[in-house]
């Protein structure tokens, strides 16, 4: 089980949360301007890193807010958590 | 290769079993091969075997980071079936099932393929409609499939709780009688032995650390045991496909998750078929030794951790106790996890890549074991001809750009 540090509610067990996949790939501002390859890259391709991984979580059964966690995907160690843009 | 047979067993037995030779050589890496396959698991070894057997390509090495068969070929729940919904999947899994049916003879190695039947049970009206649709689709593809009522299921598996007052009552199900289980380690060992006998070098403790390319072509692999040149490279590494592909600058639509399984203490034989429930996320069968093998769903977060979340175990055991009250006090012997590489459409990638000579067979997600013979067969064809066989053409990496996905999430009665 993971103990996930919600920036607003503090550390809670992982069954209160929903995993939201990798962080740091914003939706393209003009999707219609992309080639098929660029759109596929945004939609499907993932870094799927072995090691340090920045990812999105939602505190579904708590404050219901999204935030970013950095975790090691081999050891499951939580390396840090933060909000989008750094402000709560 | 020493032929395994009853007369040979008796002859060597009378001599005290002293002159058996190892089933395969411990090969040393040579500087260059025609084809190098990365990953000595089921799919990789099957690929090497069919390359040598059917295509006459014997200057082949299979590289393995750890030990032969130590990855997902030894971590799955050994289930074999072909009752997939979509044509592309149905064709390749049914082709594979047909190879399973002759595999022990083909390899002269008992893979203990046991067609004990595979039962998918449904717990809602919508699931019943979906199953009926899948039975129709299977039959159109020549795959055996039957729709069963609750009474028929109760007769087939008397220990399954089919009373209407359970938390999720069993409303019916489907049966594929040709489905079943196989001895998963034996599959790796059998293919390794047969490939080795045809001249394939199987090199363990040899980790690939880099992929060399020149002018858009693969030229060599850097490994912990030196550089190995190859004109054709096949990456067949469940659980590390992204890591390997990234060495060649290729991005994949894959996310890796732990998938757990458990095994109980041995019991007397109590039920025959494999029982799967997609709704409560459990699949269970009894091995020839009497243990129950229980499979669970994946951990939601991306992870390469080989323990898995304990919450999943609680969930699967709750489901098993509800479906099979008779097992509620059975003790678990052990638990393990494997890393599964899941594609967005829950279908594999058996494909060329933007780099010439570099091919991938990966992304099998939670269901690669059943495909082992067929996957090796089509991938060997792909490597030998440098282009896909019609059976694996739909499973290209390009489908994520073209949009021609093969959406088996849910559709294939995948239990997660």
């Amino acid at each position: 089980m993971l103990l996930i540090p919600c920036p607003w509610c503090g550390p809670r067990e992982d069954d209160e949360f929903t995993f939201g996949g990798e962080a740091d790939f914003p939706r393209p501002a003009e999707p219609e301007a992309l080639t098929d390859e660029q759109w596929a890259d945004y939609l499907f391709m993932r870094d799927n890193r072995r090691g340090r991984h920045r990812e999105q979580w939602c505190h579904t059964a708590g404050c219901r807010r999204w935030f970013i966690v950095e975790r090691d995907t081999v050891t499951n160690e939580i390396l840090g958590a933060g909000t989008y843009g750094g402000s709560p | 290769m020493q032929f395994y047979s009853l007369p040979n067993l008796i002859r060597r037995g009378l001599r005290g079993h002293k002159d058996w030779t190892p089933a395969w050589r411990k090969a040393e890496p040579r500087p260059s091969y025609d084809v190098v396959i990365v990953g000595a698991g089921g799919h990789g070894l099957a690929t090497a075997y069919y390359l040598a057997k059917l295509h006459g390509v014997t200057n082949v090495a299979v590289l393995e980071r750890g030990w032969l068969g130590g990855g997902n070929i030894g971590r799955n729940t050994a289930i074999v079936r072909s009752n997939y919904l979509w044509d592309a999947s149905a064709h390749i899994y049914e082709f594979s099932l047909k190879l399973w049916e002759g595999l022990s003879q083909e390899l002269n190695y008992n893979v203990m393929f046991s067609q004990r039947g595979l039962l998918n049970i449904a717990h809602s009206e919508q699931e019943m409609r979906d199953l009926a649709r899948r039975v129709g689709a299977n039959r159109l593809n020549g795959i055996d499939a039957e729709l069963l009522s609750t009474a028929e299921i109760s007769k087939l598996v008397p220990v399954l709780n089919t009373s209407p007052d359970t938390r999720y009552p069993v409303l019916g199900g489907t049966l594929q009688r040709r489905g079943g289980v196989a001895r998963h380690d034996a599959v790796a060992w059998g293919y390794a032995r047969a490939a080795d006998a045809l001249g394939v070098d199987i090199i363990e403790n040899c980790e690939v650390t880099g992929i060399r390319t020149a002018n858009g072509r693969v030229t060599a692999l850097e490994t912990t045991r030196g550089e190995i040149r190859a004109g054709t490279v096949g990456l067949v590494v469940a659980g590390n496909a992204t890591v390997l592909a990234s060495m060649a600058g290729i991005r994949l639509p894959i996310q890796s998750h732990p998938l757990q399984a458990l095994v109980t203490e041995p019991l007397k034989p109590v039920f025959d078929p494999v029982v799967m429930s997609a709704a409560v996320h459990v699949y269970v069968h009894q091995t020839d030794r009497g243990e129950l093998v229980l499979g669970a769903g994946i951990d939601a977060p991306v992870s390469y951790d080989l323990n898995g979340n304990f919450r999943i175990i609680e969930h699967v055991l709750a489901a098993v106790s509800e479906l099979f009250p008779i097992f509620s006090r059975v003790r678990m012997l052990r638990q393990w996890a494997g890393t599964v590489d899941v594609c967005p459409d829950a279908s594999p990638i058996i494909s060329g890549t933007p780099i010439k000579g570099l091919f991938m067979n990966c992304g099998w997600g939670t269901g690669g074991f059943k495909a082992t013979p067929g996957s090796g067969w089509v991938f060997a064809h792909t490597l030998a001809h440098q282009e896909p066989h019609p059976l694996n053409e739909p499973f290209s990496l390009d489908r994520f750009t073209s949009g021609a996905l093969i959406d088996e999430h849910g559709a294939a009665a995948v239990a997660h």
Side-chain angles (χ1 to χ4, degrees):
Chain A
M1 278 178 280
L2 300 172
L3 200 58
I4 296 180
C6 172
W8 294 281
C9 311
R12 300 288 182 90
E13 282 191 24
D14 58 2
D15 65 343
E16 293 185 17
F17 296 86
T18 305
F19 179 68
E22 278 173 38
D24 308 324
F25 58 106
R27 187 181 171 85
E30 287 183 83
E32 64 277 11
L34 300 184
T35 63
D36 287 352
E37 284 74 19
Q38 288 167 324
W39 182 240
D41 194 75
Y42 162 72
L43 208 55
F44 296 125
M45 304 302 165
R46 297 291 178 268
D47 290 342
N48 193 30
R49 280 205 185 85
R50 196 184 163 97
R52 285 179 92 91
H53 189 254
R54 273 168 61 81
E55 58 199 23
Q56 312 178 87
W57 287 84
C58 178
H59 196 179
T60 332
C63 63
R64 301 184 65 191
R65 284 197 270 191
W66 285 93
F67 58 97
I68 292 176
V69 170
E70 196 167 342
R71 178 176 59 99
D72 188 307
T73 54
V74 180
T75 62
N76 270 337
E77 184 187 356
I78 306 274
L79 303 165
T83 55
Y84 290 93
S87 61
Chain B
M1 181 173 86
Q2 289 176 324
F3 191 71
Y4 294 162
S5 65
L6 186 60
N8 261 340
L9 183 65
I10 293 169
R11 200 172 303 132
R12 289 173 202 281
L14 291 173
R15 295 202 289 258
H17 289 301
K18 286 194 179 109
D19 51 355
W20 291 108
T21 55
W24 58 85
R25 297 165 291 135
K26 292 259 176 237
E28 290 298 313
R30 284 185 272 137
S32 168
Y33 291 92
D34 291 342
V35 178
V36 171
I37 293 161
V38 183
H43 292 236
L45 293 166
T47 305
Y49 169 70
Y50 292 115
L51 258 180
K53 176 82 191 288
L54 303 176
H55 303 283
V57 184
T58 55
N59 186 19
V60 175
V62 184
L63 310 185
E64 169 56 48
R65 177 179 69 167
W67 66 96
L68 188 152
N72 285 359
I73 187 73
R75 294 171 185 273
N76 55 70
T77 47
I79 297 169
V80 177
R81 63 190 177 92
S82 65
N83 55 354
Y84 279 66
L85 177 68
W86 300 111
D87 288 350
S89 324
H91 293 160
I92 194 165
Y93 287 108
E94 176 60 15
F95 178 73
S96 192
L97 181 53
K98 290 199 171 108
L99 290 175
W100 276 111
E101 287 170 333
L103 195 60
S104 291
Q105 296 299 324
E106 163 94 20
L107 299 178
N108 178 231
Y109 202 95
N110 188 1
V111 299
M112 297 169 77
F113 182 49
S114 160
Q115 290 176 295
R116 55 187 63 189
L118 182 129
L119 178 69
N120 289 103
I121 53 176
H123 308 272
S124 71
E125 294 290 340
Q126 182 55 44
E127 251 193 305
M128 280 308 293
R129 284 189 284 269
D130 290 342
L131 290 191
R133 177 192 179 204
R134 181 164 56 72
V135 164
N138 288 164
R139 287 187 174 175
L140 286 172
N141 275 318
I143 295 168
D144 71 307
E146 295 164 46
L147 203 58
L148 300 190
S149 67
T150 309
E152 288 167 313
I153 289 172
S154 181
K155 206 173 153 201
L156 186 71
V157 188
V159 292
L160 184 66
N161 184 1
T162 49
S163 73
D165 59 357
T166 58
R167 176 70 181 83
Y168 298 105
V170 178
L171 301 187
T174 68
L175 179 66
Q176 184 178 23
R177 292 188 191 274
R178 288 162 62 240
V181 293
R183 170 90 172 88
H184 54 201
D185 298 312
V187 178
W189 300 335
Y191 273 120
R193 172 170 168 268
D196 175 85
L198 295 169
V200 171
D201 280 358
I202 300 167
I203 301 156
E204 293 172 288
N205 299 311
C206 181
E207 182 175 351
V208 171
T209 52
I211 297 173
R212 291 223 179 129
T213 58
N215 305 320
R217 259 209 87 87
V218 68
T219 56
L221 294 174
E222 294 162 23
T223 78
T224 50
R225 296 179 68 175
E227 184 185 292
I228 299 174
R229 292 191 305 280
T232 301
V233 171
L235 306 180
V236 199
V237 284
N240 277 299
T242 315
V243 178
L244 242 80
S246 69
M247 291 176 190
I250 298 168
R251 270 162 71 76
L252 293 178
I254 282 178
Q255 300 192 66
S256 302
H257 304 267
L259 178 63
Q260 298 183 67
L262 305 100
V263 67
T264 70
E265 59 189 342
L267 310 170
K268 287 184 179 176
V270 281
F271 70 112
D272 295 329
V274 181
V275 179
M276 306 179 71
S277 167
V280 299
H281 286 201
V282 66
Y283 33 105
V284 53
H285 74 269
Q286 189 171 24
T287 67
D288 295 333
R289 283 189 299 241
E291 303 142 335
L292 302 176
V293 178
L294 314 174
I298 58 170
D299 284 17
V302 165
S303 179
Y304 291 86
D305 143 60
L306 282 176
N307 293 317
N309 196 325
F310 190 76
R311 213 177 291 290
I312 304 273
I313 299 177
E314 282 184 309
H315 182 95
V316 72
L317 294 183
V320 167
S321 321
E322 181 72 5
L323 289 173
F324 299 92
I326 191 176
F327 298 149
S328 64
R329 280 173 293 160
V330 174
R331 280 164 295 204
M332 299 298 139
L333 275 190
R334 59 184 184 275
Q335 166 273 354
W336 67 93
T339 310
V340 295
D341 286 346
V342 182
C343 286
D345 57 356
S347 290
I349 298 165
I350 318 167
S351 173
T353 66
I355 294 169
K356 283 199 183 69
L358 184 67
F359 295 83
M360 301 209 67
N361 182 352
C362 62
W364 286 93
T366 57
F369 175 69
K370 66 179 83 68
T372 304
S375 157
W377 197 99
V378 298
F379 199 48
H381 182 281
T382 306
L383 295 178
H385 297 268
Q386 305 279 307
E387 61 179 29
H389 186 271
L391 278 172
N392 66 313
E393 209 163 11
F395 297 97
S396 71
L397 188 52
D398 292 345
R399 74 178 187 269
F400 298 96
T401 307
S402 72
L405 303 186
I406 305 157
D407 188 9
E408 288 290 356
H409 264 306
V414 180
H416 15 79

